[in-house]
C-alpha cells in the first residue's frame, strides 16, 4: 500500500498522508487496481468461460469484466464482534476456505433471486433481494451465513474456531446452516464417495407446498379442525389434500467434493474439469493450493480464473434491514489467474439448479460431456440409491430453539468423511 499512497498523495505533507490513510483503507479494493494494472488478461484467441457464460476477449472484454465484478466477493475481515463472545475478531490467516464457501453459496442465492444475467453497478440502486442476500453474510452472529455461524457450526465437524478448513468440511457446514434459512429454502446436497444419486437429490428437493405448511393449526398439520371434528380427522383431511397437491422443488446447490489426484491434479481430468465451468448450472469450484483457498469461477486456455479472499478489510457495520455499503463486496481488480496444473487435487464442484427441469438438463450434460466422452470419470452419476449404502434421509431442521451453530447432526455421520476423500482411479 505504500507505493499506492505515494501515487495518490504525491509530495503532500505527513498530515495529509495521515488524513488520507483511513480513506485508502476503506477503498483498498478499488485503489489496488492500479498496482495490479499490469496483470491484464492474456491476448489469446481462446474464449473465456465464467460460470456458464462464454466471452470473446477481443469483442466482449467489458462484459466479461462486468460479470466478474458482479460476483459477491468475501474476504478476510477484521474488527467484527468476537466469535462465540470470546473468540477471534478477525479471520485473517484461517478463514479463507470459509469465505470461499460463502462465495459459492452467495452465487447460488444470486442466481435464485436475481438470475445469472444480473449485473452489479456501483452507480445504480440494487434490488431489495440483493441487499437481503448481503445481510445473510455480514460478519454478525445473527446473520445466517456469517463467519460466526460457519466457524461455530464447524465445531460439529471437528474443526476448532480458527482452524483451517478443506472443501468438503465447508460443504458440510453449508448443508447444515441451510436448514435454518427459511427465506431461501435452499436444498444443499453434498455427494459422497464421488457419486451423485439422482433419486436422493429429487427426494431432498421435493416437498409439500409451502402454503400448506405455513398455515399450521393446533394439530401441527396445517389444518384447523372444524367444529365437531377431531384432530385425527383434520390431519387425515390435510394429508389427503397434500397428497393431491403437486410437490414443490426446492432450489438446489449441488456440491461434489473430489480428489483428482494424489499430490497434484492428474492431467487426465483437466478437460472434464474445464467442461464444468461451461455448464449453465455452474456455481464455481472451491479449491486452491495447500492452505490457500480460492473461489474458481472460470478459465481461459490453461489458466483458471478465481476470486481471492486473502485481503483483510474492515468489517461492515450496518443496521438490520438497511442497505449495505457494498463497495468492498465486489472485486474491481483484474481477475486473478493460475495454471490449472498448479491446482491442489482436493476440490469441490458447485452447481445450482433452480428447477427440476434445470437439474434434469444438468444430468444430461454430465452424461454427454463428462461420462460418455471420458475414459476416467471425475465422479459417477447414478439413478438409484446404492443398495450397500444406509437409507437416505433428507436433512431437516431440528426441532430446537437455536441458531444452528450448536447443532451437530449425527445419523449419517459415519458416511460424511470430512477431508477423507476417496482417491479417483488413475
Amino acid at each position: 500500500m505504500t507505493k499506492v499512497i505515494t501515487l495518490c498523495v504525491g509530495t503532500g505533507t505527513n498530515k495529509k498522508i495521515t488524513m488520507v490513510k483511513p480513506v485508502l483503507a476503506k477503498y483498498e479494493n478499488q485503489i489496488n487496481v492500479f498496482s495490479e494494472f499490469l496483470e491484464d488478461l492474456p491476448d489469446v484467441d481462446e474464449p473465456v468461460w465464467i460460470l456458464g457464460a462464454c466471452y470473446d476477449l477481443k469483442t466482449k472484454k467489458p462484459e466479461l469484466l462486468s460479470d466478474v465484478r458482479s460476483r459477491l466477493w468475501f474476504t478476510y475481515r477484521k474488527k467484527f464482534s468476537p466469535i462465540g463472545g470470546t473468540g477471534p475478531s478477525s479471520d485473517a490467516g484461517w478463514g479463507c476456505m470459509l469465505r470461499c464457501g460463502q462465495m459459492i453459496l452467495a452465487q447460488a442465492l444470486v442466481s435464485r433471486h436475481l438470475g445469472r444475467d444480473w449485473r452489479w453497478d456501483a452507480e445504480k440502486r440494487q434490488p431489495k433481494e440483493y441487499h437481503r442476500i448481503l445481510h445473510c453474510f455480514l460478519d454478525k452472529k445473527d446473520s445466517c451465513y456469517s463467519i460466526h455461524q460457519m466457524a461455530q457450526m464447524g465445531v460439529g465437524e471437528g474443526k476448532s474456531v480458527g482452524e483451517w478448513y478443506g472443501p468438503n468440511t465447508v460443504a458440510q457446514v453449508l448443508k447444515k446452516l441451510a436448514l435454518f434459512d427459511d427465506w431461501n429454502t435452499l436444498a444443499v446436497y453434498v455427494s459422497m464417495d464421488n457419486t451423485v444419486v439422482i433419486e436422493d437429490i429429487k427426494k431432498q428437493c421435493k416437498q409439500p407446498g409451502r402454503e400448506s405448511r405455513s398455515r399450521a393449526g393446533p394439530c401441527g398439520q396445517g389444518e384447523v379442525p372444524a367444529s365437531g371434528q377431531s384432530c385425527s380427522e383434520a390431519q387425515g383431511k390435510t394429508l389427503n389434500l397434500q397428497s393431491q397437491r403437486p410437490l414443490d422443488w426446492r432450489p438446489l446447490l449441488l456440491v461434489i467434493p473430489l480428489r483428482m489426484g494424489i499430490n497434484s491434479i492428474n492431467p487426465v481430468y483437466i478437460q472434464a474439469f474445464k467442461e464444468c465451468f461451461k455448464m449453465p448450472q455452474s456455481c464455481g469450484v472451491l479449491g486452491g493450493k495447500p492452505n490457500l483457498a480460492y473461489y474458481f469461477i472460470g478459465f481461459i486456455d490453461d489458466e483458471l480464473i478465481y476470486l481471492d479472499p486473502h485481503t483483510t478489510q474492515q468489517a461492515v457495520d450496518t443496521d438490520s434491514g438497511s442497505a449495505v455499503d457494498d463497495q468492498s463486496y465486489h472485486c474491481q481488480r483484474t481477475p486473478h489467474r493460475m495454471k490449472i496444473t498448479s491446482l491442489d487435487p482436493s476440490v469441490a464442484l458447485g452447481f445450482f439448479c433452480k428447477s427440476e427441469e434445470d437439474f434434469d438438463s444438468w444430468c444430461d450434460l454430465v452424461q454427454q460431456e463428462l461420462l460418455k466422452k471420458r475414459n476416467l470419470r471425475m465422479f459417477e452419476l447414478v439413478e438409484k440409491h446404492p443398495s450397500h449404502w444406509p437409507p437416505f434421509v433428507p436433512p431437516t431442521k431440528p426441532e430446537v430453539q437455536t441458531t444452528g451453530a450448536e447443532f451437530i447432526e449425527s445419523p449419517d455421520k459415519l458416511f460424511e468423511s470430512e477431508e477423507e476423500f476417496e482417491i479417483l482411479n488413475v
Side-chain angles (χ1 to χ4, degrees):
M1 288 300 296
T2 304
K3 292 182 180 179
V4 180
I5 292 173
T6 304
L7 266 173
C8 297
V9 180
T11 58
T13 64
N14 290 336
K15 183 177 180 181
K16 290 181 180 178
I17 294 176
T18 302
M19 292 175 64
V20 82
K21 278 185 177 179
V23 179
L24 294 176
K26 182 176 180 181
Y27 294 103
E28 177 185 4
N29 176 28
Q30 290 90 324
I31 292 170
N32 274 356
V33 71
F34 296 109
S35 64
E36 300 197 1
F37 184 77
L38 295 178
E39 191 196 355
D40 207 347
L41 291 168
D43 185 16
V44 296
D45 293 328
E46 294 288 329
V48 181
W49 286 91
I50 301 291
L51 301 176
C54 183
Y55 297 96
D56 184 333
L57 267 182
K58 298 184 185 300
T59 60
K60 298 291 184 181
K61 187 173 180 179
E63 290 85 349
L64 163 65
L65 296 177
S66 174
D67 192 354
V68 174
R69 190 164 53 244
S70 297
R71 301 312 107 213
L72 283 173
W73 180 51
F74 297 114
T75 71
Y76 291 150
R77 296 277 173 171
K78 61 184 178 181
K79 297 185 178 180
F80 49 68
S81 61
I83 296 174
T86 58
S89 57
S90 171
D91 62 314
W94 60 271
C96 54
M97 186 60 80
L98 294 178
R99 296 300 185 179
C100 292
Q102 288 180 325
M103 284 189 267
I104 201 170
L105 180 61
Q107 178 56 33
L109 299 185
V110 166
S111 296
R112 187 214 191 296
H113 294 287
L114 304 175
R116 176 63 184 88
D117 296 331
W118 169 82
R119 294 293 180 265
W120 177 76
D121 188 333
E123 304 301 321
K124 294 183 179 179
R125 186 175 181 179
Q126 301 302 326
K128 63 180 181 179
E129 291 85 359
Y130 164 80
H131 287 285
R132 192 167 180 183
I133 290 170
L134 263 184
H135 272 277
C136 293
F137 297 93
L138 293 181
D139 300 304
K140 296 180 172 184
K141 63 180 181 180
D142 55 349
S143 294
C144 55
Y145 300 115
S146 67
I147 193 74
H148 300 67
Q149 293 285 0
M150 294 186 73
Q152 290 187 275
M153 185 64 83
V155 173
E157 293 297 315
K159 296 289 185 180
S160 302
V161 175
E163 191 174 350
W164 198 86
Y165 286 57
N168 188 44
T169 306
V170 168
Q172 300 297 342
V173 166
L174 293 177
K175 183 180 78 169
K176 290 178 170 65
L177 286 178
L179 300 176
F180 299 88
D181 180 6
D182 293 328
W183 176 50
N184 293 295
T185 62
L186 201 66
V188 179
Y189 177 92
V190 182
S191 69
M192 65 181 192
D193 294 343
N194 306 322
T195 304
V196 177
V197 183
I198 296 174
E199 178 185 44
D200 293 349
I201 288 178
K202 294 202 172 187
K203 187 176 181 180
Q204 182 173 343
C205 289
K206 288 186 175 182
Q207 59 181 359
R210 292 185 60 81
E211 182 182 0
S212 65
R213 294 196 306 277
S214 64
R215 294 202 313 255
C219 299
Q221 298 289 334
E223 183 74 16
V224 179
S227 178
Q229 185 182 36
S230 69
C231 272
S232 59
E233 290 172 330
Q235 290 174 3
K237 179 180 177 182
T238 299
L239 292 173
N240 184 51
L241 287 172
Q242 290 181 351
S243 66
Q244 298 174 14
R245 184 180 290 116
L247 297 177
D248 294 333
W249 174 272
R250 293 169 60 200
L252 168 70
L253 174 58
L254 168 59
V255 185
I256 309 174
L258 299 173
R259 190 173 182 94
M260 299 186 295
I262 300 176
N263 296 317
S264 60
I265 184 171
N266 190 319
V268 300
Y269 298 117
I270 289 178
Q271 190 56 43
F273 184 66
K274 290 163 69 174
E275 288 294 329
C276 293
F277 291 105
K278 296 181 180 181
M279 297 179 179
Q281 298 85 0
S282 174
C283 214
V285 174
L286 302 178
K289 301 177 181 179
N291 295 325
L292 283 175
Y294 302 131
Y295 172 48
F296 297 97
I297 58 175
F299 73 93
I300 176 172
D301 197 18
D302 62 347
E303 294 182 318
L304 295 172
I305 296 173
Y306 64 92
L307 296 180
D308 187 354
H310 300 92
T311 293
T312 304
Q313 304 186 87
Q314 290 267 65
V316 174
D317 189 16
T318 186
D319 295 329
S320 177
S322 62
V324 179
D325 181 2
D326 61 349
Q327 293 288 324
S328 65
Y329 288 103
H330 293 274
C331 186
Q332 300 176 59
R333 311 172 184 176
T334 302
H336 286 284
R337 308 187 314 277
M338 65 175 277
K339 293 286 186 181
I340 296 180
T341 51
S342 300
L343 181 68
D344 187 271
S346 293
V347 300
L349 313 178
F351 302 95
F352 174 74
C353 302
K354 190 172 184 178
S355 65
E356 185 173 5
E357 292 76 18
D358 203 13
F359 175 64
D360 291 339
S361 174
W362 177 84
C363 292
D364 291 340
L365 280 173
V366 169
Q367 289 286 359
Q368 295 168 15
E369 302 299 329
L370 299 187
L371 303 185
K372 291 182 179 179
K373 294 183 179 180
R374 318 290 166 195
N375 293 326
L376 292 174
R377 301 176 175 183
M378 286 199 304
F379 59 89
E380 296 291 338
L381 179 66
V382 299
E383 283 282 350
K384 297 295 182 180
H385 185 85
S387 58
H388 61 283
W389 286 9
F392 176 75
V393 180
T396 56
K397 183 178 179 179
E399 297 298 327
V400 292
Q401 297 299 317
T402 173
T403 60
E406 311 90 340
F407 179 72
I408 303 174
E409 188 180 12
S410 58
D412 54 352
K413 195 67 178 177
L414 292 175
F415 284 80
E416 292 180 359
S417 53
E418 310 298 342
E419 299 309 309
E420 300 292 332
F421 293 99
E422 178 181 355
I423 306 297
L424 297 178
N425 294 325
V426 295

